[in-house]
């Protein structure tokens, strides 16, 4: 069970010292409202968990600041002419914190562990295109399970080969995700003997990580703090550029702002700050030149469960799109968002600036509802996360707009983990109207359209396709595009698929967010990364 420390006990010494704003040399100080859900790479899929997991572990390849993939733990890689076989050669100087070398077998073990249903990884579907993955998964419940996925070969300790069932233009991008980070096979298997398997093993690795990344684990007091220290044997000389990282958890957005202005926090995202705080800091001469901003590469939307009434009827879904005043919802974020035009934000290949975008038109909404013979007797549940203040305001605005066209809605806020479980559950016990957010895993149009709108992404539990939408034409276009090399022809497939999706209206596309991050003058080397929300290994805390 997680240790819960009363927030007041933690804040007393922190606030009392804020007047002097101690600045320990070489120590990077950050704060967040919520704890990481895990430090196990196989289960790191939320932004907070990824932020810290990637400081402890590393993968074969990585994205640079220009969104180009480069070799990380891999020394080199090659691709066969048919686009189905990737061969990697590992660097010889990469070690785990205990000094043992990182080997190819550790990568195979990590990916097999991620696709093992016992691990319950959200990233399992990213690697089922590896040849033999499905057969290996099916064999796990039999008396004679297969020893390995046949499409992952380890010719030597420093060689790793992947054979894909079909070409996949995004396979290298998938390998940048935490699910594909190496974990030490022998170390994890020793944990298994003590803690068991499944969730228990994942929790054990989360509490007792063993990585090869730029920082080493020191201590994690749940709902309070996380301490990391510099890995002196990290394979990239000069990194990390700070000696330690101290993260504080359980601090509200308002208190984070106060602590930053008093000098007790070094780097602070202000995308979700209250409007008054955001505008004050953004317009203050004190912070001029210390605020960076860029597209978050996200989409915020309201999913409608297309498998249940009344959302089986496209006319009802289109009516709801017309009924919602998205301009008002965007205004809640005071310049930090823009109305979404489809599933992909501007900056992603295949973004279409001419794509149809539903205007606010209550009269049109009423007409469509009348055509659909919609009955207004039922009150529909609208679920949203309490993690960000914006969600509650958006839910109230949507409730008001839908009431104006005769649709009754009852709003219900909940913890993100609970919302995620309900929204991804198929059938009558799942979500019907859910306000959601999606941030890219990697910069490719497939990472927006496939998880959210491909019928293959529908599952009974933990479904990423939260509208449970499946159109054979869309599925075919997306599957064809995934096998094509990057080219105008590939981008056109995604544009065509998105036009159909917008017309079918399985979701209301609300807005795309612009992220803002502020830093103290003593922090050097700060840049916004196109794939990761934070890259603390690049920061120098003077």
């Amino acid at each position: 069970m997680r240790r819960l420390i009363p927030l007041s006990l933690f804040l007393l010494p922190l606030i009392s010292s804020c007047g002097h704003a101690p600045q320990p040399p070489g120590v990077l100080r950050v704060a967040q409202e919520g704890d990481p859900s895990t430090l196990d790479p196989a289960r790191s899929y939320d932004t907070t968990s990824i932020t810290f997991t990637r400081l402890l572990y590393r993968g074969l390849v990585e994205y640079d600041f220009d969104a180009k993939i480069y070799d990380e733990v891999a020394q080199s890689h090659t691709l066969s002419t048919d686009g189905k076989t990737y061969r990697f050669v590992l660097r010889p100087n990469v070690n785990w914190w205990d000094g043992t070398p990182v080997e190819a077998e550790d990568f195979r073990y990590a990916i097999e562990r991620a696709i093992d249903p016992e691990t319950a990884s959200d990233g399992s579907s990213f690697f089922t295109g590896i040849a033999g993955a499905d057969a290996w998964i099916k064999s796990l419940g039999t008396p004679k399970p297969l020893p390995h996925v046949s499409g992952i070969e380890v010719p030597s300790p420093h060689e790793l080969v992947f054979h894909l069932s079909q070409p996949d233009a995004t396979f290298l991008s998938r390998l940048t995700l935490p699910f594909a980070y190496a974990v030490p096979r022998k170390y994890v298997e020793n944990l298994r003997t003590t803690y068991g398997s499944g969730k228990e093993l994942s929790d054990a690795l989360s509490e007792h990580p063993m990585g090869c990344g730029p920082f080493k684990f020191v201590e994690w007091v749940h709902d309070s703090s996380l301490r990391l220290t510099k890995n002196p044997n990290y394979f990239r000389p000069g990194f990390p550029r700070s000696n330690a990282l101290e993260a504080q958890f359980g601090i509200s957005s308002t208190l984070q702002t106060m602590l930053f202005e008093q000098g007790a926090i070094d780097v602070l995202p202000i995308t979700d700050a209250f409007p008054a705080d955001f505008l004050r800091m953004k317009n203050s001469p004190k912070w001029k030149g210390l605020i960076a901003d860029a597209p978050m590469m996200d989409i915020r939307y309201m999913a409608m469960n297309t498998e249940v009434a009344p959302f089986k009827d496209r006319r009802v879904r289109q009516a709801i799109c017309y009924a919602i005043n998205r301009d008002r919802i965007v205004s809640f974020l005071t310049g930090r968002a823009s109305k979404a035009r489809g599933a992909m934000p501007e900056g992603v290949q295949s973004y279409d600036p001419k794509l149809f975008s539903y205007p606010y038109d209550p009269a049109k909404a009423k007409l469509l509802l009348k055509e659909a013979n919609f009955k207004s007797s039922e009150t529909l549940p609208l679920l949203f996360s309490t993690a960000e203040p914006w969600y509650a305001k958006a839910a109230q605005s949507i409730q008001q707009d839908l009431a104006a066209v005769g649709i009754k809605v009852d709003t219900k806020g909940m913890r993100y983990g609970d919302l995620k479980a309900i929204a991804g559950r198929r059938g009558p016990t799942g979500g019907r109207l859910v306000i959601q957010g999606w941030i890219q895993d990697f910069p490719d149009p497939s990472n927006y359209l496939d998880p959210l709108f491909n019928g293959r992404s529908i599952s009974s539990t933990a479904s990423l396709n939260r509208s449970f939408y499946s159109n054979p034409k869309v599925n075919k276009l997306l599957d064809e595009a995934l096998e094509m090399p990057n080219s105008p022809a590939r981008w056109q497939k995604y544009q065509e698929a998105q036009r159909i999706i917008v017309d079918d209206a399985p979701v209301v596309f609300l807005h795309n967010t612009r992220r803002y991050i502020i830093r103290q003058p003593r922090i050097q080397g700060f840049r916004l990364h196109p794939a990761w929300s934070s890259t603390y290994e690049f920061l120098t805390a003077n």
Side-chain angles (χ1 to χ4, degrees):
M1 181 175 290
R2 290 188 171 187
R3 178 183 173 193
L4 182 63
I5 296 179
L7 186 57
S8 58
L9 295 181
F10 163 67
L11 292 179
L12 284 175
L14 181 58
I15 294 174
S16 65
S17 66
C18 286
H20 300 287
Q23 299 179 354
V27 178
L28 183 63
R29 302 162 303 166
V30 300
Q32 296 194 180
E33 188 159 349
D35 233 18
S37 62
T38 183
L39 294 178
D40 175 4
R43 299 183 68 171
S44 291
Y45 203 27
D46 60 277
T47 302
T48 302
S49 296
I50 291 174
T51 292
F52 297 103
T53 298
R54 65 174 301 277
L55 297 177
L56 303 175
Y57 295 87
R58 275 298 186 257
L60 289 164
V61 290
E62 174 64 286
Y63 274 107
D64 66 16
F65 283 92
D66 294 318
K68 296 178 181 178
I69 292 178
Y70 66 91
D71 292 314
E72 181 71 334
V73 175
Q75 181 172 273
S76 64
H77 72 270
T78 57
L79 174 63
S80 62
T81 55
D82 65 0
K84 295 168 63 174
T85 299
Y86 289 81
R87 181 178 299 272
F88 294 86
V89 177
L90 273 57
R91 297 177 185 273
N93 62 332
V94 183
N95 295 317
W96 301 109
W97 300 330
D98 63 5
T100 58
V102 174
E103 297 183 343
E105 184 60 51
D106 296 320
F107 281 100
R108 174 162 67 178
Y109 179 77
I111 292 177
E112 289 180 342
R113 183 169 169 265
I115 65 176
D116 185 344
E118 184 181 73
T119 306
S121 170
D122 284 327
S124 60
S125 63
F126 284 113
F127 306 108
T128 51
I130 299 173
D134 288 338
W136 181 79
I137 293 170
K138 290 178 182 178
S139 79
L140 295 178
T142 68
K144 293 184 178 181
L146 296 172
H148 294 292
V149 174
S150 62
I152 309 178
E153 296 180 359
V154 180
S156 74
H158 286 88
E159 292 180 86
L160 185 67
V161 181
F162 294 98
H163 300 283
L164 306 184
S165 300
Q166 57 193 28
D168 182 349
T170 68
F171 185 68
L172 279 182
S173 297
R174 296 165 190 258
L175 294 180
T176 67
L177 302 177
F179 314 119
Y181 290 175
V183 294
R185 179 181 60 85
K186 293 179 181 179
Y187 176 84
V188 178
E189 286 302 306
N190 284 336
L191 289 178
R192 185 189 295 272
T193 62
T194 303
Y195 295 96
S197 58
K199 185 179 185 299
E200 289 75 18
L201 177 61
S202 178
D203 289 345
L205 182 58
S206 179
E207 297 294 326
H208 308 283
M210 174 63 70
C212 63
F215 285 94
K216 296 174 66 174
F217 178 85
V218 177
E219 181 186 38
W220 183 10
V221 181
H222 288 280
D223 303 302
S224 175
S225 63
L226 174 67
R227 293 177 58 226
L228 310 179
T229 189
K230 181 174 185 174
N231 177 6
N233 299 315
Y234 185 52
F235 63 91
R236 290 197 179 278
F239 289 93
R241 291 176 175 164
S242 293
N243 294 327
L245 184 144
E246 295 181 354
Q248 304 293 345
F249 305 124
I251 304 179
S252 69
S253 175
T254 300
L255 187 54
Q256 287 180 42
T257 301
M258 182 189 77
L259 294 175
F260 178 86
E261 291 185 294
Q262 293 178 338
I265 295 174
D266 292 316
V267 180
L268 178 67
I270 55 174
T271 304
D272 300 319
F274 283 102
D277 292 332
F278 170 75
L279 293 173
R280 185 185 70 255
M281 299 175 82
K282 184 173 182 288
N283 297 326
S284 171
K286 179 179 179 180
W287 305 114
K288 186 176 182 180
L290 298 172
I291 299 177
D293 66 287
M296 187 176 283
M297 309 310 289
D298 71 335
I299 174 68
R300 307 298 168 115
Y301 64 96
M302 184 181 72
M304 296 173 274
N305 190 330
T306 60
E307 292 185 333
V308 301
F311 309 116
K312 288 182 179 181
D313 193 319
R314 182 176 65 173
R315 293 168 297 184
V316 173
R317 302 195 301 267
Q318 290 177 333
I320 290 175
C321 289
Y322 281 114
I324 293 175
N325 187 340
R326 295 184 297 149
D327 286 312
R328 183 170 63 228
I329 292 174
V330 167
S331 73
F332 299 150
L333 286 163
T334 56
R336 289 166 283 179
S338 58
K339 277 195 300 186
R341 186 179 290 276
M344 293 178 287
E346 187 174 1
V348 176
Q349 285 283 4
S350 299
Y351 173 77
D352 184 357
K354 297 180 180 179
L355 185 67
F356 173 76
S357 183
Y358 290 88
Y360 175 51
D361 191 342
K364 179 72 170 177
K366 290 179 180 179
L367 180 61
L368 285 167
L369 290 173
K370 184 177 180 180
E371 290 178 3
N373 196 28
F374 175 78
K375 305 298 181 182
S376 61
S377 58
E378 182 183 11
T379 299
L380 302 171
L382 172 58
L383 309 182
F384 64 92
S385 169
T386 55
E388 300 174 19
W390 169 85
Y391 282 111
K393 287 187 176 182
Q396 292 169 3
S397 182
I398 290 171
Q399 181 185 44
Q400 176 182 330
D401 289 339
L402 294 184
V405 299
I407 300 176
K408 300 174 184 177
V409 167
D410 180 29
T411 64
K412 182 177 182 181
M414 59 183 62
R415 289 167 56 99
Y416 174 72
D418 297 331
L419 178 76
K420 178 182 174 182
I422 295 174
R425 188 185 304 148
R426 198 173 192 177
T429 61
R432 298 177 70 185
L433 283 174
V434 186
I435 301 178
Q436 293 276 277
W438 178 267
I439 301 177
Q440 67 174 15
D441 298 302
F442 47 84
D444 188 271
S446 67
N447 192 236
Y448 294 88
L449 299 186
D450 271 312
L452 302 182
F453 302 107
N454 196 321
R456 289 190 290 102
S457 296
I458 297 175
S459 57
S460 297
T461 59
S463 177
L464 294 178
N465 184 336
R466 300 289 167 78
S467 60
F468 300 92
Y469 167 79
S470 183
N471 182 318
K473 291 182 180 179
V474 170
N475 299 341
K476 184 173 185 292
L477 285 166
L478 297 181
D479 290 345
E480 289 174 347
L482 196 62
E483 297 184 29
M484 299 171 65
N486 292 336
S487 63
R490 182 174 185 245
W491 311 139
Q492 187 175 354
K493 292 272 188 185
Y494 288 117
Q495 288 184 333
E496 186 177 348
Q498 189 170 212
R499 284 193 290 270
I500 299 172
I501 292 167
V502 169
D503 186 56
D504 282 345
V507 309
V508 180
F509 295 111
L510 297 175
H511 76 252
N512 305 121
T513 313
R514 193 164 188 88
R515 57 176 171 152
Y516 287 81
I517 298 180
I518 189 170
R519 62 179 173 87
Q520 297 289 353
R522 78 184 191 115
I523 301 301
Q524 303 299 315
F526 185 85
R527 296 175 64 188
L528 288 174
H529 196 277
W532 307 119
S533 62
S534 303
T535 50
Y536 293 136
E537 68 270 32
F538 289 91
L539 302 188
T540 301
N542 293 322

